Amino acid sequence: VVDGLNFLQDYQAAESLASRGETLGEDDERSITDLLIEQIEFADVILISKIDLISSVERLELIAILERLNAQAEIIPMVMG
C-alpha cells in the first residue's frame, strides 16, 4: 500500500530510516527512499491509498514513478481503502 498523500514527499526526502526509528538494526543505513523503492520493486499489486486527497498532477506524477519502478505491478488507486 502506497500512501498517496505522503509518498512524493517521502520519496524525495533524504531522511534516513534511523531518524524515524525504522531500521532493521544498527547496520541498516538505508534512507526512506531506499525502503520505498525496495517495497515497490517487489510488489505484484500496488494499492494507492488516499488518491482523492491529491491533485490530478500529483496523481499522474505518482503513478508515473510507480510504473517506472515496477512496470509489471498492477496499480490500483483507492478512496477509503
Side-chain angles (χ1 to χ4, degrees), residues 2-4 9-10 14-15 17 20 25-26 29 34 39 46 50-51 54 56-57 62 64-65 68 70 73 78:
V2 169
D3 182 344
Q9 178 181 340
D10 287 341
E15 191 174 3
L17 288 173
R20 291 193 184 180
E26 291 179 17
E29 297 179 0
D34 294 335
Q39 291 174 340
I46 300 171
K50 306 174 191 170
I51 197 75
I54 60 175
S56 59
V57 171
L62 173 56
I65 290 169
R68 275 195 310 269
N70 187 339
M78 302 182 310

Side-chain angles (χ1 to χ4, degrees), residues 11 20 30 38 44 54 57 63-64 66 68-70 73 81:
Y11 182 74
R20 291 193 184 180
R30 293 176 297 166
E38 286 175 15
D44 294 323
I54 60 175
V57 171
I63 291 172
L66 297 174
R68 275 195 310 269
L69 293 172
N70 187 339

Side-chain angles (χ1 to χ4, degrees), residues 9-81:
Q9 178 181 340
D10 287 341
Y11 182 74
Q12 296 168 351
E15 191 174 3
S16 70
L17 288 173
S19 68
R20 291 193 184 180
E22 299 289 335
T23 65
L24 293 176
E26 291 179 17
D27 296 332
D28 189 358
E29 297 179 0
R30 293 176 297 166
S31 68
I32 299 294
T33 305
D34 294 335
L35 179 62
L36 291 172
I37 290 170
E38 286 175 15
Q39 291 174 340
I40 291 164
E41 287 178 336
F42 290 99
D44 294 323
V45 176
I46 300 171
L47 305 173
I48 306 174
S49 67
K50 306 174 191 170
I51 197 75
D52 58 320
L53 301 179
I54 60 175
S55 71
S56 59
V57 171
E58 291 171 317
R59 187 176 308 133
L60 291 174
E61 181 181 1
L62 173 56
I63 291 172
I65 290 169
L66 297 174
E67 287 175 340
R68 275 195 310 269
L69 293 172
N70 187 339
Q72 305 304 315
E74 180 180 5
I75 298 174
I76 303 172
M78 302 182 310
V79 175
M80 298 190 60

